[in-house]
PDB file of all heavy atoms in Angstrom:
ATOM      1  N   VAL D  31       0.858  -1.184   0.000  1.00  0.00           N
ATOM      2  CA  VAL D  31       0.000   0.000   0.000  1.00  0.00           C
ATOM      3  C   VAL D  31       0.893   1.232   0.000  1.00  0.00           C
ATOM      4  O   VAL D  31       1.701   1.420   0.914  1.00  0.00           O
ATOM      5  CB  VAL D  31      -0.935   0.014   1.225  1.00  0.00           C
ATOM      6  CG1 VAL D  31      -1.771   1.290   1.246  1.00  0.00           C
ATOM      7  CG2 VAL D  31      -1.851  -1.205   1.225  1.00  0.00           C
ATOM      8  N   VAL D  32       0.773   2.062  -1.024  1.00  0.00           N
ATOM      9  CA  VAL D  32       1.627   3.243  -1.132  1.00  0.00           C
ATOM     10  C   VAL D  32       0.883   4.533  -0.817  1.00  0.00           C
ATOM     11  O   VAL D  32       1.515   5.582  -0.647  1.00  0.00           O
ATOM     12  CB  VAL D  32       2.249   3.327  -2.538  1.00  0.00           C
ATOM     13  CG1 VAL D  32       3.270   2.210  -2.753  1.00  0.00           C
ATOM     14  CG2 VAL D  32       1.187   3.278  -3.626  1.00  0.00           C
ATOM     15  N   ALA D  33      -0.446   4.497  -0.744  1.00  0.00           N
ATOM     16  CA  ALA D  33      -1.231   5.677  -0.366  1.00  0.00           C
ATOM     17  C   ALA D  33      -2.507   5.182   0.299  1.00  0.00           C
ATOM     18  O   ALA D  33      -3.390   4.632  -0.376  1.00  0.00           O
ATOM     19  CB  ALA D  33      -1.545   6.541  -1.578  1.00  0.00           C
ATOM     20  N   ARG D  34      -2.606   5.358   1.591  1.00  0.00           N
ATOM     21  CA  ARG D  34      -3.778   4.875   2.328  1.00  0.00           C
ATOM     22  C   ARG D  34      -4.931   5.870   2.196  1.00  0.00           C
ATOM     23  O   ARG D  34      -4.734   7.079   2.164  1.00  0.00           O
ATOM     24  CB  ARG D  34      -3.440   4.667   3.810  1.00  0.00           C
ATOM     25  CG  ARG D  34      -2.388   3.584   4.024  1.00  0.00           C
ATOM     26  CD  ARG D  34      -2.287   3.185   5.485  1.00  0.00           C
ATOM     27  NE  ARG D  34      -1.327   2.106   5.662  1.00  0.00           N
ATOM     28  CZ  ARG D  34      -1.611   0.826   5.474  1.00  0.00           C
ATOM     29  NH1 ARG D  34      -2.838   0.477   5.125  1.00  0.00           N
ATOM     30  NH2 ARG D  34      -0.690  -0.099   5.647  1.00  0.00           N
ATOM     31  N   GLY D  35      -6.122   5.312   2.155  1.00  0.00           N
ATOM     32  CA  GLY D  35      -7.303   6.158   2.111  1.00  0.00           C
ATOM     33  C   GLY D  35      -7.574   6.807   3.450  1.00  0.00           C
ATOM     34  O   GLY D  35      -7.187   6.285   4.506  1.00  0.00           O
ATOM     35  N   GLY D  36      -8.228   7.955   3.424  1.00  0.00           N
ATOM     36  CA  GLY D  36      -8.577   8.642   4.659  1.00  0.00           C
ATOM     37  C   GLY D  36      -9.739   7.959   5.370  1.00  0.00           C
ATOM     38  O   GLY D  36     -10.582   7.317   4.739  1.00  0.00           O
ATOM     39  N   ARG D  37      -9.803   8.121   6.683  1.00  0.00           N
ATOM     40  CA  ARG D  37     -10.893   7.499   7.421  1.00  0.00           C
ATOM     41  C   ARG D  37     -12.168   8.312   7.234  1.00  0.00           C
ATOM     42  O   ARG D  37     -12.134   9.516   6.984  1.00  0.00           O
ATOM     43  CB  ARG D  37     -10.551   7.345   8.897  1.00  0.00           C
ATOM     44  CG  ARG D  37     -10.473   8.635   9.689  1.00  0.00           C
ATOM     45  CD  ARG D  37     -10.166   8.318  11.152  1.00  0.00           C
ATOM     46  NE  ARG D  37     -10.085   9.510  11.978  1.00  0.00           N
ATOM     47  CZ  ARG D  37     -11.130  10.078  12.558  1.00  0.00           C
ATOM     48  NH1 ARG D  37     -12.341   9.583  12.387  1.00  0.00           N
ATOM     49  NH2 ARG D  37     -10.974  11.155  13.310  1.00  0.00           N
ATOM     50  N   GLY D  38     -13.297   7.650   7.354  1.00  0.00           N
ATOM     51  CA  GLY D  38     -14.567   8.344   7.215  1.00  0.00           C
ATOM     52  C   GLY D  38     -14.860   9.219   8.422  1.00  0.00           C
ATOM     53  O   GLY D  38     -14.431   8.928   9.546  1.00  0.00           O
ATOM     54  N   GLY D  39     -15.584  10.284   8.188  1.00  0.00           N
ATOM     55  CA  GLY D  39     -15.964  11.165   9.289  1.00  0.00           C
ATOM     56  C   GLY D  39     -17.030  10.532  10.175  1.00  0.00           C
ATOM     57  O   GLY D  39     -17.851   9.733   9.717  1.00  0.00           O
ATOM     58  N   ARG D  40     -17.012  10.881  11.439  1.00  0.00           N
ATOM     59  CA  ARG D  40     -17.996  10.343  12.372  1.00  0.00           C
ATOM     60  C   ARG D  40     -19.316  11.093  12.257  1.00  0.00           C
ATOM     61  O   ARG D  40     -19.337  12.313  12.125  1.00  0.00           O
ATOM     62  CB  ARG D  40     -17.466  10.422  13.800  1.00  0.00           C
ATOM     63  CG  ARG D  40     -16.271   9.518  14.069  1.00  0.00           C
ATOM     64  CD  ARG D  40     -15.706   9.726  15.468  1.00  0.00           C
ATOM     65  NE  ARG D  40     -15.093  11.031  15.607  1.00  0.00           N
ATOM     66  CZ  ARG D  40     -14.534  11.496  16.730  1.00  0.00           C
ATOM     67  NH1 ARG D  40     -14.549  10.727  17.822  1.00  0.00           N
ATOM     68  NH2 ARG D  40     -13.988  12.681  16.774  1.00  0.00           N
ATOM     69  N   GLY D  41     -20.416  10.345  12.315  1.00  0.00           N
ATOM     70  CA  GLY D  41     -21.734  10.969  12.325  1.00  0.00           C
ATOM     71  C   GLY D  41     -22.089  11.500  13.701  1.00  0.00           C
ATOM     72  O   GLY D  41     -21.405  11.226  14.693  1.00  0.00           O
ATOM     73  N   ASN D  42     -23.211  12.239  13.759  1.00  0.00           N
ATOM     74  CA  ASN D  42     -23.509  12.887  15.045  1.00  0.00           C
ATOM     75  C   ASN D  42     -23.907  11.888  16.127  1.00  0.00           C
ATOM     76  O   ASN D  42     -23.847  12.202  17.319  1.00  0.00           O
ATOM     77  CB  ASN D  42     -24.595  13.946  14.863  1.00  0.00           C
ATOM     78  CG  ASN D  42     -25.966  13.352  14.530  1.00  0.00           C
ATOM     79  OD1 ASN D  42     -26.055  12.297  13.908  1.00  0.00           O
ATOM     80  ND2 ASN D  42     -27.030  14.052  14.930  1.00  0.00           N
ATOM     81  N   ALA D  43     -24.271  10.656  15.754  1.00  0.00           N
ATOM     82  CA  ALA D  43     -24.574   9.661  16.783  1.00  0.00           C
ATOM     83  C   ALA D  43     -23.347   9.351  17.629  1.00  0.00           C
ATOM     84  O   ALA D  43     -23.473   8.967  18.791  1.00  0.00           O
ATOM     85  CB  ALA D  43     -25.099   8.374  16.131  1.00  0.00           C
ATOM     86  N   ARG D  44     -22.162   9.546  17.049  1.00  0.00           N
ATOM     87  CA  ARG D  44     -20.929   9.243  17.780  1.00  0.00           C
ATOM     88  C   ARG D  44     -20.583  10.337  18.792  1.00  0.00           C
ATOM     89  O   ARG D  44     -19.701  10.130  19.632  1.00  0.00           O
ATOM     90  CB  ARG D  44     -19.772   9.078  16.789  1.00  0.00           C
ATOM     91  CG  ARG D  44     -19.960   7.958  15.782  1.00  0.00           C
ATOM     92  CD  ARG D  44     -19.657   6.615  16.421  1.00  0.00           C
ATOM     93  NE  ARG D  44     -18.273   6.527  16.796  1.00  0.00           N
ATOM     94  CZ  ARG D  44     -17.281   6.166  15.979  1.00  0.00           C
ATOM     95  NH1 ARG D  44     -17.564   5.848  14.720  1.00  0.00           N
ATOM     96  NH2 ARG D  44     -16.047   6.115  16.410  1.00  0.00           N
ATOM     97  N   PHE D  45     -21.216  11.491  18.701  1.00  0.00           N
ATOM     98  CA  PHE D  45     -20.881  12.606  19.590  1.00  0.00           C
ATOM     99  C   PHE D  45     -21.888  12.769  20.726  1.00  0.00           C
ATOM    100  O   PHE D  45     -21.790  13.708  21.507  1.00  0.00           O
ATOM    101  CB  PHE D  45     -20.803  13.911  18.796  1.00  0.00           C
ATOM    102  CG  PHE D  45     -19.643  13.966  17.843  1.00  0.00           C
ATOM    103  CD1 PHE D  45     -19.794  13.581  16.517  1.00  0.00           C
ATOM    104  CD2 PHE D  45     -18.395  14.377  18.268  1.00  0.00           C
ATOM    105  CE1 PHE D  45     -18.733  13.620  15.633  1.00  0.00           C
ATOM    106  CE2 PHE D  45     -17.324  14.418  17.397  1.00  0.00           C
ATOM    107  CZ  PHE D  45     -17.496  14.036  16.080  1.00  0.00           C
ATOM    108  N   ALA D  46     -22.874  11.871  20.808  1.00  0.00           N
ATOM    109  CA  ALA D  46     -23.885  11.975  21.854  1.00  0.00           C
ATOM    110  C   ALA D  46     -23.297  11.580  23.206  1.00  0.00           C
ATOM    111  O   ALA D  46     -22.591  10.572  23.322  1.00  0.00           O
ATOM    112  CB  ALA D  46     -25.079  11.091  21.519  1.00  0.00           C
ATOM    113  N   THR D  47     -23.572  12.387  24.213  1.00  0.00           N
ATOM    114  CA  THR D  47     -23.150  12.114  25.593  1.00  0.00           C
ATOM    115  C   THR D  47     -24.328  12.441  26.507  1.00  0.00           C
ATOM    116  O   THR D  47     -25.304  13.074  26.085  1.00  0.00           O
ATOM    117  CB  THR D  47     -21.939  12.975  25.994  1.00  0.00           C
ATOM    118  OG1 THR D  47     -22.341  14.363  26.016  1.00  0.00           O
ATOM    119  CG2 THR D  47     -20.780  12.796  25.011  1.00  0.00           C
ATOM    120  N   PRO D  48     -24.278  12.018  27.778  1.00  0.00           N
ATOM    121  CA  PRO D  48     -25.382  12.384  28.698  1.00  0.00           C
ATOM    122  C   PRO D  48     -25.563  13.897  28.815  1.00  0.00           C
ATOM    123  O   PRO D  48     -26.670  14.371  29.071  1.00  0.00           O
ATOM    124  CB  PRO D  48     -24.937  11.769  30.032  1.00  0.00           C
ATOM    125  CG  PRO D  48     -24.087  10.600  29.630  1.00  0.00           C
ATOM    126  CD  PRO D  48     -23.357  11.057  28.402  1.00  0.00           C
ATOM    127  N   GLN D  49     -24.464  14.644  28.643  1.00  0.00           N
ATOM    128  CA  GLN D  49     -24.585  16.102  28.721  1.00  0.00           C
ATOM    129  C   GLN D  49     -24.964  16.732  27.378  1.00  0.00           C
ATOM    130  O   GLN D  49     -25.538  17.812  27.339  1.00  0.00           O
ATOM    131  CB  GLN D  49     -23.258  16.724  29.203  1.00  0.00           C
ATOM    132  CG  GLN D  49     -22.875  16.380  30.632  1.00  0.00           C
ATOM    133  CD  GLN D  49     -22.355  14.963  30.785  1.00  0.00           C
ATOM    134  OE1 GLN D  49     -21.764  14.415  29.851  1.00  0.00           O
ATOM    135  NE2 GLN D  49     -22.580  14.357  31.950  1.00  0.00           N
ATOM    136  N   ARG D  50     -24.647  16.061  26.276  1.00  0.00           N
ATOM    137  CA  ARG D  50     -24.938  16.607  24.944  1.00  0.00           C
ATOM    138  C   ARG D  50     -25.759  15.551  24.202  1.00  0.00           C
ATOM    139  O   ARG D  50     -25.229  14.699  23.504  1.00  0.00           O
ATOM    140  CB  ARG D  50     -23.646  16.918  24.197  1.00  0.00           C
ATOM    141  CG  ARG D  50     -23.866  17.586  22.850  1.00  0.00           C
ATOM    142  CD  ARG D  50     -22.554  17.973  22.226  1.00  0.00           C
ATOM    143  NE  ARG D  50     -21.647  16.837  22.122  1.00  0.00           N
ATOM    144  CZ  ARG D  50     -20.332  16.924  22.038  1.00  0.00           C
ATOM    145  NH1 ARG D  50     -19.763  18.100  22.063  1.00  0.00           N
ATOM    146  NH2 ARG D  50     -19.579  15.847  21.951  1.00  0.00           N
ATOM    147  N   LYS D  51     -27.075  15.631  24.401  1.00  0.00           N
ATOM    148  CA  LYS D  51     -27.942  14.589  23.881  1.00  0.00           C
ATOM    149  C   LYS D  51     -28.356  14.817  22.441  1.00  0.00           C
ATOM    150  O   LYS D  51     -28.849  13.893  21.791  1.00  0.00           O
ATOM    151  CB  LYS D  51     -29.187  14.482  24.764  1.00  0.00           C
ATOM    152  CG  LYS D  51     -28.860  14.094  26.199  1.00  0.00           C
ATOM    153  CD  LYS D  51     -30.112  13.956  27.038  1.00  0.00           C
ATOM    154  CE  LYS D  51     -29.767  13.533  28.467  1.00  0.00           C
ATOM    155  NZ  LYS D  51     -30.976  13.394  29.310  1.00  0.00           N
ATOM    156  N   ALA D  52     -28.203  16.009  21.943  1.00  0.00           N
ATOM    157  CA  ALA D  52     -28.630  16.305  20.572  1.00  0.00           C
ATOM    158  C   ALA D  52     -27.511  17.019  19.812  1.00  0.00           C
ATOM    159  O   ALA D  52     -27.652  18.169  19.411  1.00  0.00           O
ATOM    160  CB  ALA D  52     -29.891  17.153  20.576  1.00  0.00           C
ATOM    161  N   PRO D  53     -26.362  16.350  19.622  1.00  0.00           N
ATOM    162  CA  PRO D  53     -25.270  17.014  18.897  1.00  0.00           C
ATOM    163  C   PRO D  53     -25.633  17.256  17.442  1.00  0.00           C
ATOM    164  O   PRO D  53     -26.232  16.394  16.785  1.00  0.00           O
ATOM    165  CB  PRO D  53     -24.122  16.004  19.021  1.00  0.00           C
ATOM    166  CG  PRO D  53     -24.790  14.684  19.192  1.00  0.00           C
ATOM    167  CD  PRO D  53     -26.032  14.969  19.990  1.00  0.00           C
ATOM    168  N   ARG D  54     -25.290  18.417  16.960  1.00  0.00           N
ATOM    169  CA  ARG D  54     -25.551  18.771  15.559  1.00  0.00           C
ATOM    170  C   ARG D  54     -24.242  18.928  14.787  1.00  0.00           C
ATOM    171  O   ARG D  54     -24.130  19.759  13.901  1.00  0.00           O
ATOM    172  CB  ARG D  54     -26.367  20.058  15.485  1.00  0.00           C
ATOM    173  CG  ARG D  54     -27.767  19.906  16.044  1.00  0.00           C
ATOM    174  CD  ARG D  54     -28.578  21.174  15.875  1.00  0.00           C
ATOM    175  NE  ARG D  54     -29.958  20.948  16.267  1.00  0.00           N
ATOM    176  CZ  ARG D  54     -30.908  20.476  15.455  1.00  0.00           C
ATOM    177  NH1 ARG D  54     -30.585  20.142  14.213  1.00  0.00           N
ATOM    178  NH2 ARG D  54     -32.134  20.295  15.883  1.00  0.00           N
ATOM    179  N   LEU D  55     -23.275  18.136  15.146  1.00  0.00           N
ATOM    180  CA  LEU D  55     -22.013  18.188  14.423  1.00  0.00           C
ATOM    181  C   LEU D  55     -21.639  16.805  13.933  1.00  0.00           C
ATOM    182  O   LEU D  55     -22.019  15.794  14.533  1.00  0.00           O
ATOM    183  CB  LEU D  55     -20.879  18.742  15.302  1.00  0.00           C
ATOM    184  CG  LEU D  55     -20.323  17.808  16.397  1.00  0.00           C
ATOM    185  CD1 LEU D  55     -18.858  18.092  16.618  1.00  0.00           C
ATOM    186  CD2 LEU D  55     -21.083  18.003  17.698  1.00  0.00           C
ATOM    187  N   ALA D  56     -20.949  16.780  12.832  1.00  0.00           N
ATOM    188  CA  ALA D  56     -20.386  15.553  12.269  1.00  0.00           C
ATOM    189  C   ALA D  56     -19.090  15.921  11.567  1.00  0.00           C
ATOM    190  O   ALA D  56     -18.872  17.077  11.199  1.00  0.00           O
ATOM    191  CB  ALA D  56     -21.364  14.895  11.299  1.00  0.00           C
ATOM    192  N   GLU D  57     -18.230  14.938  11.420  1.00  0.00           N
ATOM    193  CA  GLU D  57     -16.936  15.195  10.787  1.00  0.00           C
ATOM    194  C   GLU D  57     -17.011  14.984   9.280  1.00  0.00           C
ATOM    195  O   GLU D  57     -17.751  14.132   8.788  1.00  0.00           O
ATOM    196  CB  GLU D  57     -15.869  14.259  11.360  1.00  0.00           C
ATOM    197  CG  GLU D  57     -15.518  14.520  12.804  1.00  0.00           C
ATOM    198  CD  GLU D  57     -14.529  13.499  13.321  1.00  0.00           C
ATOM    199  OE1 GLU D  57     -14.561  12.343  12.869  1.00  0.00           O
ATOM    200  OE2 GLU D  57     -13.720  13.873  14.189  1.00  0.00           O
ATOM    201  N   LYS D  58     -16.219  15.753   8.579  1.00  0.00           N
ATOM    202  CA  LYS D  58     -16.012  15.495   7.154  1.00  0.00           C
ATOM    203  C   LYS D  58     -15.011  14.339   7.007  1.00  0.00           C
ATOM    204  O   LYS D  58     -14.285  14.002   7.935  1.00  0.00           O
ATOM    205  CB  LYS D  58     -15.473  16.747   6.461  1.00  0.00           C
ATOM    206  CG  LYS D  58     -16.430  17.923   6.490  1.00  0.00           C
ATOM    207  CD  LYS D  58     -15.777  19.195   6.001  1.00  0.00           C
ATOM    208  CE  LYS D  58     -15.403  19.110   4.548  1.00  0.00           C
ATOM    209  NZ  LYS D  58     -14.833  20.386   4.061  1.00  0.00           N
ATOM    210  N   GLY D  59     -14.975  13.743   5.835  1.00  0.00           N
ATOM    211  CA  GLY D  59     -14.039  12.662   5.599  1.00  0.00           C
ATOM    212  C   GLY D  59     -12.600  13.163   5.557  1.00  0.00           C
ATOM    213  O   GLY D  59     -12.323  14.275   5.109  1.00  0.00           O
ATOM    214  N   GLU D  60     -11.690  12.324   6.042  1.00  0.00           N
ATOM    215  CA  GLU D  60     -10.276  12.685   6.037  1.00  0.00           C
ATOM    216  C   GLU D  60      -9.695  12.491   4.634  1.00  0.00           C
ATOM    217  O   GLU D  60      -9.959  11.474   3.982  1.00  0.00           O
ATOM    218  CB  GLU D  60      -9.521  11.797   7.018  1.00  0.00           C
ATOM    219  CG  GLU D  60      -8.032  12.075   7.093  1.00  0.00           C
ATOM    220  CD  GLU D  60      -7.307  11.089   7.990  1.00  0.00           C
ATOM    221  OE1 GLU D  60      -7.873  10.021   8.288  1.00  0.00           O
ATOM    222  OE2 GLU D  60      -6.168  11.385   8.379  1.00  0.00           O
ATOM    223  N   PRO D  61      -8.908  13.445   4.144  1.00  0.00           N
ATOM    224  CA  PRO D  61      -8.256  13.243   2.836  1.00  0.00           C
ATOM    225  C   PRO D  61      -7.292  12.058   2.887  1.00  0.00           C
ATOM    226  O   PRO D  61      -6.691  11.767   3.917  1.00  0.00           O
ATOM    227  CB  PRO D  61      -7.502  14.565   2.608  1.00  0.00           C
ATOM    228  CG  PRO D  61      -8.169  15.554   3.513  1.00  0.00           C
ATOM    229  CD  PRO D  61      -8.644  14.775   4.701  1.00  0.00           C
ATOM    230  N   GLY D  62      -7.149  11.372   1.766  1.00  0.00           N
ATOM    231  CA  GLY D  62      -6.222  10.248   1.698  1.00  0.00           C
ATOM    232  C   GLY D  62      -4.783  10.709   1.583  1.00  0.00           C
ATOM    233  O   GLY D  62      -4.498  11.875   1.284  1.00  0.00           O
ATOM    234  N   GLU D  63      -3.859   9.789   1.843  1.00  0.00           N
ATOM    235  CA  GLU D  63      -2.443  10.105   1.671  1.00  0.00           C
ATOM    236  C   GLU D  63      -2.158  10.393   0.202  1.00  0.00           C
ATOM    237  O   GLU D  63      -2.762   9.808  -0.696  1.00  0.00           O
ATOM    238  CB  GLU D  63      -1.572   8.930   2.127  1.00  0.00           C
ATOM    239  CG  GLU D  63      -1.613   8.653   3.608  1.00  0.00           C
ATOM    240  CD  GLU D  63      -0.732   7.474   3.999  1.00  0.00           C
ATOM    241  OE1 GLU D  63      -0.337   6.707   3.110  1.00  0.00           O
ATOM    242  OE2 GLU D  63      -0.453   7.320   5.194  1.00  0.00           O
ATOM    243  N   ARG D  64      -1.223  11.266  -0.031  1.00  0.00           N
ATOM    244  CA  ARG D  64      -0.837  11.597  -1.402  1.00  0.00           C
ATOM    245  C   ARG D  64       0.665  11.815  -1.452  1.00  0.00           C
ATOM    246  O   ARG D  64       1.256  12.380  -0.533  1.00  0.00           O
ATOM    247  CB  ARG D  64      -1.589  12.837  -1.883  1.00  0.00           C
ATOM    248  CG  ARG D  64      -1.363  14.078  -1.032  1.00  0.00           C
ATOM    249  CD  ARG D  64      -2.319  15.190  -1.378  1.00  0.00           C
ATOM    250  NE  ARG D  64      -3.685  14.871  -0.976  1.00  0.00           N
ATOM    251  CZ  ARG D  64      -4.716  15.663  -1.219  1.00  0.00           C
ATOM    252  NH1 ARG D  64      -4.537  16.800  -1.869  1.00  0.00           N
ATOM    253  NH2 ARG D  64      -5.928  15.323  -0.817  1.00  0.00           N
ATOM    254  N   ARG D  65       1.271  11.343  -2.502  1.00  0.00           N
ATOM    255  CA  ARG D  65       2.721  11.497  -2.642  1.00  0.00           C
ATOM    256  C   ARG D  65       3.118  11.176  -4.079  1.00  0.00           C
ATOM    257  O   ARG D  65       2.395  10.520  -4.829  1.00  0.00           O
ATOM    258  CB  ARG D  65       3.473  10.556  -1.689  1.00  0.00           C
ATOM    259  CG  ARG D  65       3.078   9.083  -1.838  1.00  0.00           C
ATOM    260  CD  ARG D  65       4.143   8.141  -1.271  1.00  0.00           C
ATOM    261  NE  ARG D  65       4.468   8.375   0.101  1.00  0.00           N
ATOM    262  CZ  ARG D  65       4.121   7.596   1.112  1.00  0.00           C
ATOM    263  NH1 ARG D  65       3.385   6.519   0.886  1.00  0.00           N
ATOM    264  NH2 ARG D  65       4.503   7.848   2.330  1.00  0.00           N
ATOM    265  N   TRP D  66       4.303  11.653  -4.443  1.00  0.00           N
ATOM    266  CA  TRP D  66       4.935  11.270  -5.693  1.00  0.00           C
ATOM    267  C   TRP D  66       5.872  10.115  -5.416  1.00  0.00           C
ATOM    268  O   TRP D  66       6.619  10.134  -4.434  1.00  0.00           O
ATOM    269  CB  TRP D  66       5.702  12.440  -6.306  1.00  0.00           C
ATOM    270  CG  TRP D  66       4.842  13.388  -7.086  1.00  0.00           C
ATOM    271  CD1 TRP D  66       4.231  14.517  -6.628  1.00  0.00           C
ATOM    272  CD2 TRP D  66       4.494  13.277  -8.472  1.00  0.00           C
ATOM    273  NE1 TRP D  66       3.522  15.115  -7.633  1.00  0.00           N
ATOM    274  CE2 TRP D  66       3.673  14.384  -8.783  1.00  0.00           C
ATOM    275  CE3 TRP D  66       4.802  12.357  -9.474  1.00  0.00           C
ATOM    276  CZ2 TRP D  66       3.154  14.586 -10.059  1.00  0.00           C
ATOM    277  CZ3 TRP D  66       4.291  12.565 -10.742  1.00  0.00           C
ATOM    278  CH2 TRP D  66       3.480  13.656 -11.024  1.00  0.00           C
ATOM    279  N   LEU D  67       5.844   9.110  -6.281  1.00  0.00           N
ATOM    280  CA  LEU D  67       6.715   7.960  -6.148  1.00  0.00           C
ATOM    281  C   LEU D  67       7.692   7.907  -7.313  1.00  0.00           C
ATOM    282  O   LEU D  67       7.354   8.281  -8.436  1.00  0.00           O
ATOM    283  CB  LEU D  67       5.898   6.659  -6.143  1.00  0.00           C
ATOM    284  CG  LEU D  67       4.860   6.474  -5.048  1.00  0.00           C
ATOM    285  CD1 LEU D  67       4.126   5.162  -5.252  1.00  0.00           C
ATOM    286  CD2 LEU D  67       5.502   6.522  -3.664  1.00  0.00           C
ATOM    287  N   LYS D  68       8.888   7.419  -7.019  1.00  0.00           N
ATOM    288  CA  LYS D  68       9.857   7.131  -8.066  1.00  0.00           C
ATOM    289  C   LYS D  68      10.050   5.622  -8.105  1.00  0.00           C
ATOM    290  O   LYS D  68      10.436   5.011  -7.112  1.00  0.00           O
ATOM    291  CB  LYS D  68      11.196   7.821  -7.794  1.00  0.00           C
ATOM    292  CG  LYS D  68      12.223   7.592  -8.900  1.00  0.00           C
ATOM    293  CD  LYS D  68      13.505   8.372  -8.656  1.00  0.00           C
ATOM    294  CE  LYS D  68      14.499   8.145  -9.788  1.00  0.00           C
ATOM    295  NZ  LYS D  68      15.757   8.890  -9.577  1.00  0.00           N
ATOM    296  N   LEU D  69       9.762   5.024  -9.250  1.00  0.00           N
ATOM    297  CA  LEU D  69       9.881   3.581  -9.414  1.00  0.00           C
ATOM    298  C   LEU D  69      11.117   3.267 -10.240  1.00  0.00           C
ATOM    299  O   LEU D  69      11.350   3.890 -11.280  1.00  0.00           O
ATOM    300  CB  LEU D  69       8.638   3.013 -10.107  1.00  0.00           C
ATOM    301  CG  LEU D  69       7.283   3.377  -9.483  1.00  0.00           C
ATOM    302  CD1 LEU D  69       6.159   2.700 -10.247  1.00  0.00           C
ATOM    303  CD2 LEU D  69       7.237   2.981  -8.014  1.00  0.00           C
TER     304      LEU D  69
END
């Protein structure tokens, strides 16, 4: 593997806590690795 994909963003269900029962935030997806290779 020479360039790994970015992880998916978490939905708002992952941010729910007893103190924050209705979170209205979610993460965007992480960009994948990028590089130039010399073969």
Side-chain angles (χ1 to χ4, degrees):
V31 177
V32 291
R34 296 192 177 277
R37 69 178 180 87
R40 293 175 292 179
N42 69 330
R44 299 282 295 276
F45 292 94
T47 66
Q49 294 75 30
R50 184 175 55 203
K51 298 182 179 180
R54 294 184 173 273
L55 74 148
E57 292 176 328
K58 297 171 65 177
E60 180 185 17
E63 293 180 344
R64 59 191 69 183
R65 55 160 57 108
W66 278 92
L67 300 178
K68 182 176 181 180
L69 307 182

